[in-house]
Amino acid sequence: QVQLVESGGGLVQAGGSLRLSCAASGRTLPSYAMGWFRQAPGKEREFVAAINWSGSSIYYADSVKGRFTISRDNAKNTVYLQMNSLKPEDTAVYYCAAGTTRWRLREFDHWGQGTQVTVSS
């Protein structure tokens, strides 16, 4: 079992940047592929980005490609989401997730509590 805690959310103006962090405890992070999802008010949760255990395989949603970067530091048991050129439509609660065999299908097994990102226009 792994526990995930997100941090780094906040209020930022459009065009600004934020870096989210997801700290893992319990089972070691290298056992898992990691993902970021988000959920805006009144909308379903959507996939943002995912990375395999080594960082050699990365996927992004089209809506964030070229603006967001997912990375991981297994020694620190932490995964990051660098978000640049933020837009108001990026406003959402961002969730970190850990998965194993079905992560490429966007199916993850463990979830954090989320961190709010608000982008003002």
Side-chain angles (χ1 to χ4, degrees):
Q1 190 79 2
V2 62
Q3 291 77 45
L4 305 172
V5 178
E6 302 94 337
S7 62
L11 174 63
V12 63
Q13 289 188 333
S17 299
L18 282 175
R19 188 176 81 156
L20 304 183
S21 299
C22 174
S25 60
R27 191 172 175 182
T28 56
L29 199 61
S31 303
Y32 295 94
M34 301 298 296
W36 287 97
F37 289 74
R38 66 187 182 186
Q39 186 168 20
K43 295 187 177 181
E44 293 187 354
R45 186 170 61 194
E46 65 173 356
F47 169 78
V48 174
I51 185 170
N52 72 336
W53 71 274
S54 67
S56 62
S57 183
I58 292 175
Y59 300 93
Y60 293 102
D62 288 343
S63 59
V64 306
K65 203 170 293 183
R67 299 188 299 122
F68 290 11
T69 302
I70 188 172
S71 62
R72 64 190 297 162
D73 185 336
N74 289 337
K76 295 182 178 180
N77 274 346
T78 302
V79 64
Y80 304 98
L81 185 68
Q82 178 67 45
M83 305 186 296
N84 299 329
S85 302
L86 283 162
K87 305 175 181 179
E89 50 263 44
D90 294 319
T91 295
V93 177
Y94 283 71
Y95 296 92
C96 173
T100 53
T101 58
R102 298 179 67 82
W103 74 276
R104 285 187 173 86
L105 300 176
R106 316 292 191 251
E107 296 180 11
F108 289 78
D109 306 299
H110 308 284
W111 295 84
Q113 294 300 305
T115 186
Q116 176 70 46
V117 171
T118 303
V119 184
S120 63
S121 57

